[in-house]
Amino acid sequence: MAEETPKPEELARVDLKPPKSDWMDPTVEFRKGTWNYTAVPDTQKYLDLPAAPKWAPTDDDWPLPENWQEIILTGMKERLDKYRSFRIFMDICVRCGACADKCHFFIGSGDPKNMPVLRAELLRSVYRHDFTTAGKILGKLAGGRKLTVGVLKEWFYYFFQCTECRRCSVFCPYGIDTAEITMFARELLSLIGLGIEWICTPLSNCFRTGNHLGIQPHGFKDSIEFAVDELEEITGIRVDAPINKKGAEILFVAPSADYFASPHYYTLLGYLALFHEIGLDYTWSTYASEGGNFGLFHSHEMIKRLNAKIYAEAKRLGVKWILGGECGHMWRVMHQYMDTMNGPADFLEVPKSPITGTVFENAASTKMTHICEFTADLLKNEKIKLDPSRNDHWISTFHDSCNPSRALGLLEEPRYCIKRACNNFYEMPENTIREQTFCCGSGAGLGTDENMEMRLRGGLPRANAVKYVHEKHDVNVLLCICAIDKATLPPLLEYWVPGVEVAGVHEMVGNALIMEGATKRTTDLRGQPLKGMEDTEDV
């Protein structure tokens, strides 16, 4: 943790007293730990985006184009005309406050402008001033505000304190998708070159190499081959992991963190073991080597551009359908944007398991099935055997990652896999899971070290729920199916709930999987001794 980060007992004291200043006052304080580094010009130019000279949010003078107000207001009009949802979301909110206490950032910070309703008002007030009759005539009396530099800074501060998790939308009586409002605000900021580094750099990397980390084809190949070697050491079995294989039945796409980060890597080992055991005819791709789509955090156009590469590779390799790994935002893009932006993918077949014969009709348009659906189907049809006692050293709970749960409705399949792979599983409180799940606090491109205090504040509600089952049931591992979660939850739990690890669902499946011809297992995929094997000579 950064030296400036307050201690847990200090950060937990959240002041919920309303400020003395009126909400229309746009003044914000860019304190250390509450904002993200800005995008560098070269990165934005690579994406054909307007690029501001190098700057920092703490600068008094921001490098804005002379006609920046005109650019933003024109951009707002174009989006109001193009996206019916945008205009509706600007008009129908009655400020009932049902969303106010549902946001993890408001709960963790006490800042009223992190209430979803008030965060949206920061944009809505400009809409009223310039695009409604009442606002043009009455101004502030109608809730309208002029677009000033102060308002612009306020937008940057608060719309990059929203993880687009959509928990607020679950409780909105009008179904307003506040994440969409955040997306529109970020699009408008990008029109004048105001972006953040941990969104724009992964975007440019993905265009350049096919994945967010900038890993080149030979590096990808080396990583997969290293995993194959390590899995052989653990199981005694040499698995095949085909790359760029034309004519395979299935293209498998995972987040790049799965083959280059921890604890994601152990999920990768689980994939490889599973695919070998069922004899799956599949291929990886060095060009579609990323399931995640950081375009979701930037703009609708970026969503479309990044998603296209997966389908272009599926066509090039001549596969029948696509299987996706444990990723979060990949699944909101596929489930809610794919058809209108890139699809339908009529050149592919409706996914059908070659092992069970199950047809995944829910993927009839996108032609892409989630690994948890696929594995749950294998288990239901008894096509693989698991020994859950191999996970007895883990006492688990499950974090419903925001996008697969709220956007995809993937609620029971991960749990089905976990309960078959683990003997010890406990749910967190009901109002913190499934559709009401709390966010990790670091999604949507906000998972950076310089933003650590706000990450810890935003993650407080999730950490509290984990702490409850940790103290009541001795839970020591939090399972999830999102690459961002696997990256951001470990420091969150280290801070708020020491003693709880983070792992993927398919790490647990891989631990429990009985592989024909394997040597006797004495360790899990992390190399940790299985329960009862602590004193064996092999350990």
Side-chain angles (χ1 to χ4, degrees), residues 24-27 62 64 68-69 72-73 122 125-126 129-130 145-155 189 192 194:
M24 285 194 170
D25 178 2
T27 306
W62 286 15
L64 305 175
W68 68 269
Q69 290 165 308
I72 286 184
L73 293 175
L122 307 182
S125 59
V126 174
H129 184 275
D130 286 272
R145 293 192 305 173
K146 290 183 179 179
L147 180 58
T148 64
V149 172
V151 168
L152 192 71
K153 291 183 176 183
E154 183 185 48
W155 282 8
L189 290 169
I192 55 173
L194 304 183

mmCIF file of all heavy atoms in Angstrom, residues 24-27 62 64 68-69 72-73 122 125-126 129-130 145-155 189 192 194:
data_model
loop_
_atom_site.group_PDB
_atom_site.id
_atom_site.type_symbol
_atom_site.label_atom_id
_atom_site.label_comp_id
_atom_site.label_asym_id
_atom_site.label_seq_id
_atom_site.Cartn_x
_atom_site.Cartn_y
_atom_site.Cartn_z
ATOM 1 N N MET A 24 -24.355 22.547 -6.761
ATOM 2 C CA MET A 24 -24.007 23.154 -8.043
ATOM 3 C C MET A 24 -22.609 23.747 -8.052
ATOM 4 O O MET A 24 -22.088 24.078 -9.113
ATOM 5 C CB MET A 24 -25.037 24.221 -8.413
ATOM 6 C CG MET A 24 -26.356 23.647 -8.880
ATOM 7 S SD MET A 24 -27.368 24.892 -9.675
ATOM 8 C CE MET A 24 -28.663 23.889 -10.379
ATOM 9 N N ASP A 25 -22.024 23.889 -6.883
ATOM 10 C CA ASP A 25 -20.634 24.354 -6.811
ATOM 11 C C ASP A 25 -19.729 23.221 -7.296
ATOM 12 O O ASP A 25 -19.658 22.163 -6.677
ATOM 13 C CB ASP A 25 -20.287 24.718 -5.365
ATOM 14 C CG ASP A 25 -18.842 25.169 -5.213
ATOM 15 O OD1 ASP A 25 -18.121 25.235 -6.228
ATOM 16 O OD2 ASP A 25 -18.434 25.415 -4.067
ATOM 17 N N PRO A 26 -19.011 23.414 -8.400
ATOM 18 C CA PRO A 26 -18.237 22.305 -8.988
ATOM 19 C C PRO A 26 -16.854 22.104 -8.391
ATOM 20 O O PRO A 26 -16.099 21.241 -8.844
ATOM 21 C CB PRO A 26 -18.118 22.734 -10.454
ATOM 22 C CG PRO A 26 -18.045 24.227 -10.386
ATOM 23 C CD PRO A 26 -18.946 24.628 -9.238
ATOM 24 N N THR A 27 -16.487 22.853 -7.367
ATOM 25 C CA THR A 27 -15.137 22.788 -6.819
ATOM 26 C C THR A 27 -14.809 21.382 -6.307
ATOM 27 O O THR A 27 -15.576 20.798 -5.536
ATOM 28 C CB THR A 27 -14.965 23.789 -5.666
ATOM 29 O OG1 THR A 27 -15.329 25.101 -6.116
ATOM 30 C CG2 THR A 27 -13.520 23.800 -5.169
ATOM 31 N N TRP A 62 -5.677 23.439 -17.290
ATOM 32 C CA TRP A 62 -5.714 22.215 -18.096
ATOM 33 C C TRP A 62 -5.538 22.571 -19.564
ATOM 34 O O TRP A 62 -6.048 23.613 -20.024
ATOM 35 C CB TRP A 62 -7.031 21.491 -17.886
ATOM 36 C CG TRP A 62 -7.145 20.794 -16.556
ATOM 37 C CD1 TRP A 62 -6.355 20.987 -15.456
ATOM 38 C CD2 TRP A 62 -8.105 19.804 -16.193
ATOM 39 N NE1 TRP A 62 -6.761 20.186 -14.428
ATOM 40 C CE2 TRP A 62 -7.837 19.433 -14.854
ATOM 41 C CE3 TRP A 62 -9.159 19.183 -16.846
ATOM 42 C CZ2 TRP A 62 -8.592 18.484 -14.168
ATOM 43 C CZ3 TRP A 62 -9.916 18.235 -16.177
ATOM 44 C CH2 TRP A 62 -9.635 17.889 -14.846
ATOM 45 N N LEU A 64 -6.725 22.693 -22.680
ATOM 46 C CA LEU A 64 -7.980 22.498 -23.409
ATOM 47 C C LEU A 64 -7.937 23.199 -24.759
ATOM 48 O O LEU A 64 -7.335 24.275 -24.892
ATOM 49 C CB LEU A 64 -9.151 23.047 -22.589
ATOM 50 C CG LEU A 64 -9.302 22.509 -21.165
ATOM 51 C CD1 LEU A 64 -10.422 23.238 -20.449
ATOM 52 C CD2 LEU A 64 -9.553 21.017 -21.194
ATOM 53 N N TRP A 68 -13.262 24.159 -26.744
ATOM 54 C CA TRP A 68 -13.579 22.916 -26.039
ATOM 55 C C TRP A 68 -15.057 22.812 -25.670
ATOM 56 O O TRP A 68 -15.643 21.724 -25.712
ATOM 57 C CB TRP A 68 -12.696 22.764 -24.804
ATOM 58 C CG TRP A 68 -12.942 23.742 -23.692
ATOM 59 C CD1 TRP A 68 -12.333 24.951 -23.510
ATOM 60 C CD2 TRP A 68 -13.872 23.594 -22.615
ATOM 61 N NE1 TRP A 68 -12.807 25.573 -22.397
ATOM 62 C CE2 TRP A 68 -13.751 24.754 -21.815
ATOM 63 C CE3 TRP A 68 -14.771 22.610 -22.236
ATOM 64 C CZ2 TRP A 68 -14.517 24.962 -20.673
ATOM 65 C CZ3 TRP A 68 -15.533 22.801 -21.085
ATOM 66 C CH2 TRP A 68 -15.411 23.954 -20.323
ATOM 67 N N GLN A 69 -15.678 23.938 -25.309
ATOM 68 C CA GLN A 69 -17.104 23.904 -24.956
ATOM 69 C C GLN A 69 -17.949 23.505 -26.165
ATOM 70 O O GLN A 69 -18.872 22.690 -26.064
ATOM 71 C CB GLN A 69 -17.554 25.263 -24.419
ATOM 72 C CG GLN A 69 -16.977 25.587 -23.043
ATOM 73 C CD GLN A 69 -17.129 27.055 -22.699
ATOM 74 O OE1 GLN A 69 -16.734 27.925 -23.489
ATOM 75 N NE2 GLN A 69 -17.678 27.327 -21.530
ATOM 76 N N ILE A 72 -17.630 19.730 -26.851
ATOM 77 C CA ILE A 72 -18.382 18.877 -25.935
ATOM 78 C C ILE A 72 -19.885 19.000 -26.169
ATOM 79 O O ILE A 72 -20.607 17.993 -26.197
ATOM 80 C CB ILE A 72 -18.027 19.213 -24.474
ATOM 81 C CG1 ILE A 72 -16.632 18.672 -24.157
ATOM 82 C CG2 ILE A 72 -19.055 18.621 -23.506
ATOM 83 C CD1 ILE A 72 -16.196 18.850 -22.732
ATOM 84 N N LEU A 73 -20.387 20.207 -26.330
ATOM 85 C CA LEU A 73 -21.830 20.389 -26.530
ATOM 86 C C LEU A 73 -22.277 19.791 -27.861
ATOM 87 O O LEU A 73 -23.365 19.208 -27.955
ATOM 88 C CB LEU A 73 -22.195 21.865 -26.440
ATOM 89 C CG LEU A 73 -22.025 22.486 -25.043
ATOM 90 C CD1 LEU A 73 -22.298 23.981 -25.083
ATOM 91 C CD2 LEU A 73 -22.914 21.802 -24.020
ATOM 92 N N LEU A 122 -24.494 15.905 -12.425
ATOM 93 C CA LEU A 122 -23.364 16.715 -12.879
ATOM 94 C C LEU A 122 -23.379 16.861 -14.393
ATOM 95 O O LEU A 122 -23.011 17.906 -14.934
ATOM 96 C CB LEU A 122 -22.049 16.092 -12.414
ATOM 97 C CG LEU A 122 -21.919 15.776 -10.918
ATOM 98 C CD1 LEU A 122 -20.541 15.201 -10.618
ATOM 99 C CD2 LEU A 122 -22.200 17.003 -10.075
ATOM 100 N N SER A 125 -27.233 18.474 -15.457
ATOM 101 C CA SER A 125 -27.400 19.921 -15.274
ATOM 102 C C SER A 125 -26.952 20.687 -16.518
ATOM 103 O O SER A 125 -27.566 21.692 -16.897
ATOM 104 C CB SER A 125 -26.619 20.397 -14.050
ATOM 105 O OG SER A 125 -25.240 20.104 -14.180
ATOM 106 N N VAL A 126 -25.886 20.222 -17.162
ATOM 107 C CA VAL A 126 -25.434 20.858 -18.404
ATOM 108 C C VAL A 126 -26.429 20.570 -19.521
ATOM 109 O O VAL A 126 -26.730 21.437 -20.354
ATOM 110 C CB VAL A 126 -24.017 20.375 -18.768
ATOM 111 C CG1 VAL A 126 -23.597 20.906 -20.138
ATOM 112 C CG2 VAL A 126 -23.014 20.800 -17.703
ATOM 113 N N HIS A 129 -29.281 22.954 -19.087
ATOM 114 C CA HIS A 129 -28.941 24.338 -19.425
ATOM 115 C C HIS A 129 -28.928 24.575 -20.928
ATOM 116 O O HIS A 129 -29.354 25.638 -21.402
ATOM 117 C CB HIS A 129 -27.573 24.695 -18.832
ATOM 118 C CG HIS A 129 -27.162 26.122 -19.047
ATOM 119 N ND1 HIS A 129 -26.529 26.552 -20.206
ATOM 120 C CD2 HIS A 129 -27.320 27.224 -18.272
ATOM 121 C CE1 HIS A 129 -26.298 27.842 -20.120
ATOM 122 N NE2 HIS A 129 -26.763 28.285 -18.961
ATOM 123 N N ASP A 130 -28.442 23.604 -21.682
ATOM 124 C CA ASP A 130 -28.222 23.836 -23.113
ATOM 125 C C ASP A 130 -29.211 23.122 -24.031
ATOM 126 O O ASP A 130 -29.272 23.443 -25.218
ATOM 127 C CB ASP A 130 -26.801 23.410 -23.480
ATOM 128 C CG ASP A 130 -25.766 24.390 -22.976
ATOM 129 O OD1 ASP A 130 -25.458 25.353 -23.703
ATOM 130 O OD2 ASP A 130 -25.276 24.213 -21.852
ATOM 131 N N ARG A 145 -26.843 24.211 -15.390
ATOM 132 C CA ARG A 145 -25.539 24.830 -15.124
ATOM 133 C C ARG A 145 -24.797 25.050 -16.432
ATOM 134 O O ARG A 145 -24.860 24.208 -17.335
ATOM 135 C CB ARG A 145 -24.671 23.938 -14.232
ATOM 136 C CG ARG A 145 -25.149 23.742 -12.827
ATOM 137 C CD ARG A 145 -24.062 23.080 -11.969
ATOM 138 N NE ARG A 145 -23.589 21.813 -12.533
ATOM 139 C CZ ARG A 145 -22.553 21.121 -12.046
ATOM 140 N NH1 ARG A 145 -21.870 21.584 -11.026
ATOM 141 N NH2 ARG A 145 -22.194 19.979 -12.594
ATOM 142 N N LYS A 146 -24.064 26.138 -16.497
ATOM 143 C CA LYS A 146 -23.213 26.375 -17.655
ATOM 144 C C LYS A 146 -22.025 25.408 -17.621
ATOM 145 O O LYS A 146 -21.573 25.003 -16.562
ATOM 146 C CB LYS A 146 -22.692 27.812 -17.650
ATOM 147 C CG LYS A 146 -23.744 28.865 -17.939
ATOM 148 C CD LYS A 146 -23.106 30.243 -17.978
ATOM 149 C CE LYS A 146 -24.153 31.312 -18.298
ATOM 150 N NZ LYS A 146 -23.552 32.688 -18.321
ATOM 151 N N LEU A 147 -21.552 25.053 -18.799
ATOM 152 C CA LEU A 147 -20.373 24.207 -18.910
ATOM 153 C C LEU A 147 -19.139 25.079 -18.734
ATOM 154 O O LEU A 147 -18.757 25.834 -19.625
ATOM 155 C CB LEU A 147 -20.354 23.506 -20.270
ATOM 156 C CG LEU A 147 -19.165 22.586 -20.543
ATOM 157 C CD1 LEU A 147 -19.066 21.480 -19.492
ATOM 158 C CD2 LEU A 147 -19.256 21.978 -21.937
ATOM 159 N N THR A 148 -18.513 24.978 -17.566
ATOM 160 C CA THR A 148 -17.334 25.766 -17.245
ATOM 161 C C THR A 148 -16.138 24.833 -17.038
ATOM 162 O O THR A 148 -16.288 23.609 -16.981
ATOM 163 C CB THR A 148 -17.545 26.582 -15.960
ATOM 164 O OG1 THR A 148 -17.714 25.662 -14.864
ATOM 165 C CG2 THR A 148 -18.782 27.468 -16.076
ATOM 166 N N VAL A 149 -14.962 25.411 -16.883
ATOM 167 C CA VAL A 149 -13.774 24.604 -16.590
ATOM 168 C C VAL A 149 -13.958 23.869 -15.270
ATOM 169 O O VAL A 149 -13.566 22.706 -15.125
ATOM 170 C CB VAL A 149 -12.509 25.482 -16.553
ATOM 171 C CG1 VAL A 149 -11.302 24.680 -16.057
ATOM 172 C CG2 VAL A 149 -12.207 26.056 -17.936
ATOM 173 N N GLY A 150 -14.573 24.543 -14.299
ATOM 174 C CA GLY A 150 -14.838 23.902 -13.020
ATOM 175 C C GLY A 150 -15.723 22.679 -13.152
ATOM 176 O O GLY A 150 -15.466 21.632 -12.537
ATOM 177 N N VAL A 151 -16.768 22.795 -13.955
ATOM 178 C CA VAL A 151 -17.665 21.657 -14.196
ATOM 179 C C VAL A 151 -16.912 20.538 -14.901
ATOM 180 O O VAL A 151 -17.084 19.350 -14.585
ATOM 181 C CB VAL A 151 -18.892 22.101 -15.023
ATOM 182 C CG1 VAL A 151 -19.679 20.889 -15.528
ATOM 183 C CG2 VAL A 151 -19.794 23.009 -14.189
ATOM 184 N N LEU A 152 -16.052 20.906 -15.835
ATOM 185 C CA LEU A 152 -15.260 19.911 -16.551
ATOM 186 C C LEU A 152 -14.363 19.126 -15.587
ATOM 187 O O LEU A 152 -14.275 17.893 -15.668
ATOM 188 C CB LEU A 152 -14.408 20.602 -17.617
ATOM 189 C CG LEU A 152 -13.738 19.705 -18.656
ATOM 190 C CD1 LEU A 152 -14.771 19.138 -19.600
ATOM 191 C CD2 LEU A 152 -12.692 20.496 -19.422
ATOM 192 N N LYS A 153 -13.713 19.830 -14.671
ATOM 193 C CA LYS A 153 -12.860 19.166 -13.685
ATOM 194 C C LYS A 153 -13.691 18.255 -12.772
ATOM 195 O O LYS A 153 -13.250 17.162 -12.388
ATOM 196 C CB LYS A 153 -12.102 20.201 -12.861
ATOM 197 C CG LYS A 153 -11.045 20.959 -13.654
ATOM 198 C CD LYS A 153 -10.259 21.927 -12.774
ATOM 199 C CE LYS A 153 -9.145 22.598 -13.573
ATOM 200 N NZ LYS A 153 -8.310 23.498 -12.737
ATOM 201 N N GLU A 154 -14.875 18.719 -12.435
ATOM 202 C CA GLU A 154 -15.784 17.927 -11.608
ATOM 203 C C GLU A 154 -16.186 16.645 -12.332
ATOM 204 O O GLU A 154 -16.219 15.562 -11.733
ATOM 205 C CB GLU A 154 -17.014 18.780 -11.289
ATOM 206 C CG GLU A 154 -18.027 18.134 -10.366
ATOM 207 C CD GLU A 154 -19.252 19.023 -10.237
ATOM 208 O OE1 GLU A 154 -19.773 19.498 -11.277
ATOM 209 O OE2 GLU A 154 -19.697 19.241 -9.108
ATOM 210 N N TRP A 155 -16.465 16.750 -13.620
ATOM 211 C CA TRP A 155 -16.781 15.560 -14.422
ATOM 212 C C TRP A 155 -15.623 14.570 -14.370
ATOM 213 O O TRP A 155 -15.831 13.381 -14.135
ATOM 214 C CB TRP A 155 -17.014 15.952 -15.877
ATOM 215 C CG TRP A 155 -18.347 16.548 -16.191
ATOM 216 C CD1 TRP A 155 -19.317 16.918 -15.313
ATOM 217 C CD2 TRP A 155 -18.848 16.852 -17.498
ATOM 218 N NE1 TRP A 155 -20.384 17.434 -15.987
ATOM 219 C CE2 TRP A 155 -20.125 17.406 -17.321
ATOM 220 C CE3 TRP A 155 -18.329 16.717 -18.775
ATOM 221 C CZ2 TRP A 155 -20.898 17.813 -18.415
ATOM 222 C CZ3 TRP A 155 -19.088 17.121 -19.857
ATOM 223 C CH2 TRP A 155 -20.367 17.664 -19.681
ATOM 224 N N LEU A 189 -15.485 13.659 -22.487
ATOM 225 C CA LEU A 189 -14.157 14.084 -22.043
ATOM 226 C C LEU A 189 -13.076 13.675 -23.055
ATOM 227 O O LEU A 189 -12.131 14.422 -23.307
ATOM 228 C CB LEU A 189 -13.845 13.471 -20.677
ATOM 229 C CG LEU A 189 -14.637 14.016 -19.488
ATOM 230 C CD1 LEU A 189 -14.422 13.155 -18.252
ATOM 231 C CD2 LEU A 189 -14.238 15.464 -19.192
ATOM 232 N N ILE A 192 -11.992 15.919 -26.096
ATOM 233 C CA ILE A 192 -11.018 17.017 -25.963
ATOM 234 C C ILE A 192 -9.719 16.511 -25.344
ATOM 235 O O ILE A 192 -8.930 17.289 -24.794
ATOM 236 C CB ILE A 192 -11.604 18.188 -25.146
ATOM 237 C CG1 ILE A 192 -12.114 17.723 -23.783
ATOM 238 C CG2 ILE A 192 -12.715 18.875 -25.923
ATOM 239 C CD1 ILE A 192 -12.553 18.866 -22.877
ATOM 240 N N LEU A 194 -9.130 14.337 -22.786
ATOM 241 C CA LEU A 194 -9.034 14.107 -21.351
ATOM 242 C C LEU A 194 -9.383 12.661 -21.034
ATOM 243 O O LEU A 194 -10.541 12.301 -20.814
ATOM 244 C CB LEU A 194 -9.964 15.053 -20.585
ATOM 245 C CG LEU A 194 -9.773 16.546 -20.842
ATOM 246 C CD1 LEU A 194 -10.708 17.363 -19.958
ATOM 247 C CD2 LEU A 194 -8.321 16.967 -20.610
#
